[in-house]
Amino acid sequence: MKTNQELLKGLLLKTQDKSKDIQKTTEDIKQMIRKTTSPERSINLFHCLSELNDNSLVKNIEVSLTSGNLLQQNLSPSDYSALAYVLQMSEDELDALDLSKHSLQDEGLLRLMPAARLYKRLMLSDCHLTGDCCEDLASALRTNQSTLRELELERNNLGDSGVKLLSAALKDPNCKLEKLGLRQCDLMGDCCEELASALRTNHSTLRQLELGWNILGNSGVKLLSAALKDPNCKLEKLGLSECRLTGDCCEDLASALRTNQSTLRELELERNNLGDSAVKLLSAALKDPNCKLEKLGLRKCDLTSDCGEDLASALRTNQSTLRELELEGNNMGDSGVKLLSAALEDPNCKLEKLGLSVNCLTGDCCEDLAFALRTNHSTLRELDLEWNDLEDSGVKLLSAALKDPNCKLEKLGLGGCGLTDDCCEDLAFALHTNQSTLRELELEGNNLGDSGVKLLSAALEDPNCKLEKLGLKSEEAMWEWLKMMSGQSHCDITQTDHTYLSIQ
């Protein structure tokens, strides 16, 4: 800059071609950027290039950011330094940085850290990271300038050693992290002791922890359960899907849920071999006035109708706070659903979402479900019954319930339920009524035929119909019919992916 030239004129070499000097200096700086391993030094060197009016290295990055094709590019470490520089110079509010599915690797993340630590949300899923990067992430979390609230590291090979470094950072009073995603990160139970220790510190701010698809085992969950009892632990959401758990871990989890210090609101236990005995323990915890759980995920947990009575008993207690219960992929059968339906009728039951897809159900359970939906105490908003053999007779019973002014259902899943056009008249009639509150209806995987879709499309014309999403998986001829009908109705129907009608 001219001001600096005046100050340093005695040191400047006399040359006839200043442009060559500037060009040589620029190339030297670019070479330094390529060789340096220090993120801070890289940023300083980019400032030097900026003073020399050379932005060639950041030009492609800026174009990529604008066009949105950054993901398709194979970036070098120096490119990530350029990206860090661009991000720091940006005038946009620093809220979220999503680099998921970039082949970032540890070196790229190191170069980005000066910019990444300024964001509130940092998404790094599928970035080919290893445990070596966790030292830099932990360092960023410990700085008093850090604004990071959410860190997503799903599907990276971090290992226990990497998570131990992150756990140490969680104990630091400067760390403000509230959400940490470690799904499918090659973790074993060895890291759970450090994670549990971090959750017990009085500085911990962590609210959500996702550990699904790691081999934690019962021993790991036992350590985490002990942390949940600590008054310093503020965890509200814990994900433990596919963690090689058995029913033996549920005694510890249930004990944690019963403590008055527990703040847990959501617990995901999908794809673990828990069995009915484990659900019996969890159900007992749900009855405890100290338990604050609102969402419980039990997909594919080897459950049968034998656990139905325990779950129903928990839902009927006036202390129960459960709002969502997911039971997909179990063998509850009609008898299990009959017990749950009776609980739905109880004025103490607060359940709003119930997932029962793939549960060996038949149309026989629909009478009980329909009766529950018609009670004035029912709070159910979402009901998933997909891939069960309900057939037309079962759906006719549910359709009658949809017409009842007490029914508050907004989302109903009936995909793959063996339906034909015979049930469509009843469904359409339910959609016609001004009492119906249904917003979403999934019917994919059924044999409704053109005649069935015509009946449903006629219902869309009615101003009483509140449907916003209809899943059909239909043929082109049906879409043509529906588009024709949309010209005569209050609905705007558009074809998206041959699966859904978007109705606005």
Side-chain angles (χ1 to χ4, degrees), residues 190-261:
D190 291 345
C191 68
C192 290
E193 187 171 359
E194 282 77 9
L195 277 170
S197 177
L199 291 173
R200 283 195 298 263
T201 60
N202 58 3
H203 309 297
S204 174
T205 55
L206 209 64
R207 299 291 192 276
Q208 297 183 35
L209 178 59
E210 176 55 68
L211 294 168
W213 300 85
N214 292 295
I215 308 175
L216 303 185
N218 293 336
S219 57
V221 173
K222 187 181 185 76
L223 292 165
L224 294 172
S225 299
L228 293 175
K229 298 181 188 181
D230 196 283
N232 288 320
C233 180
K234 303 173 183 69
L235 210 62
E236 297 177 1
K237 183 177 180 179
L238 179 59
L240 296 171
S241 301
E242 187 77 29
C243 283
R244 306 283 181 91
L245 308 181
T246 69
D248 292 340
C249 74
C250 288
E251 187 171 357
D252 299 293
L253 283 169
S255 176
L257 292 172
R258 282 195 297 264
T259 60
N260 59 4
Q261 289 88 4

Side-chain angles (χ1 to χ4, degrees), residues 45 65 255 307 337 366 413 498 500:
L45 290 170
L65 284 172
S255 176
C307 73
V337 173
C366 291
H498 285 264
Y500 290 108

Side-chain angles (χ1 to χ4, degrees), residues 315-316 322-323 341-352 369-381 404-409:
L315 292 172
R316 280 195 297 263
L322 208 65
R323 298 292 192 277
S341 299
L344 294 175
E345 299 170 31
D346 196 282
N348 288 320
C349 180
K350 304 172 185 71
L351 208 64
E352 296 176 2
L369 282 169
F371 188 78
L373 291 172
R374 283 195 297 264
T375 61
N376 58 5
H377 309 296
S378 174
T379 55
L380 209 63
R381 298 293 191 278
D404 196 282
N406 288 321
C407 180
K408 303 173 184 71
L409 210 62

Side-chain angles (χ1 to χ4, degrees), residues 77-290:
S78 59
D79 289 328
Y80 283 113
S81 292
L83 176 56
Y85 175 78
V86 171
L87 293 172
Q88 286 195 98
M89 295 301 104
S90 172
E91 294 181 359
D92 295 335
E93 187 176 345
L94 303 180
D95 183 34
L97 177 59
D98 189 353
L99 293 169
S100 299
K101 298 183 180 177
H102 284 78
S103 184
L104 189 58
Q105 301 185 35
D106 298 338
E107 176 65 17
L109 180 59
L110 176 65
R111 299 291 188 104
L112 270 173
M113 282 315 298
R117 70 181 63 180
L118 302 176
Y119 284 82
K120 294 177 183 176
R121 300 168 60 215
L122 180 58
M123 280 79 81
L124 300 171
S125 300
D126 291 298
C127 284
H128 300 169
L129 304 177
T130 72
D132 293 340
C133 77
C134 290
E135 188 170 356
D136 301 305
L137 285 168
S139 177
L141 290 171
R142 280 194 296 261
T143 61
N144 57 8
Q145 294 92 0
S146 174
T147 58
L148 270 173
R149 297 293 188 276
E150 296 183 27
L151 178 58
E152 180 54 72
L153 293 164
E154 180 177 351
R155 290 188 298 278
N156 287 295
N157 186 22
L158 303 184
D160 290 330
S161 58
V163 174
K164 286 178 181 181
L165 291 167
L166 293 174
S167 299
L170 293 175
K171 298 180 187 181
D172 196 282
N174 288 321
C175 179
K176 305 174 186 71
L177 205 66
E178 297 176 2
K179 183 178 179 180
L180 177 59
L182 296 170
R183 185 182 177 94
Q184 205 171 334
C185 285
D186 292 319
L187 309 183
M188 308 290 283
D190 291 345
C191 68
C192 290
E193 187 171 359
E194 282 77 9
L195 277 170
S197 177
L199 291 173
R200 283 195 298 263
T201 60
N202 58 3
H203 309 297
S204 174
T205 55
L206 209 64
R207 299 291 192 276
Q208 297 183 35
L209 178 59
E210 176 55 68
L211 294 168
W213 300 85
N214 292 295
I215 308 175
L216 303 185
N218 293 336
S219 57
V221 173
K222 187 181 185 76
L223 292 165
L224 294 172
S225 299
L228 293 175
K229 298 181 188 181
D230 196 283
N232 288 320
C233 180
K234 303 173 183 69
L235 210 62
E236 297 177 1
K237 183 177 180 179
L238 179 59
L240 296 171
S241 301
E242 187 77 29
C243 283
R244 306 283 181 91
L245 308 181
T246 69
D248 292 340
C249 74
C250 288
E251 187 171 357
D252 299 293
L253 283 169
S255 176
L257 292 172
R258 282 195 297 264
T259 60
N260 59 4
Q261 289 88 4
S262 174
T263 55
L264 209 63
R265 299 291 192 277
E266 298 184 29
L267 178 59
E268 182 55 73
L269 293 166
E270 175 187 2
R271 290 176 181 268
N272 288 295
N273 185 23
L274 302 183
D276 295 327
S277 58
V279 175
K280 187 180 186 75
L281 292 166
L282 293 173
S283 298
L286 292 173
K287 298 182 192 180
D288 196 284
N290 289 320

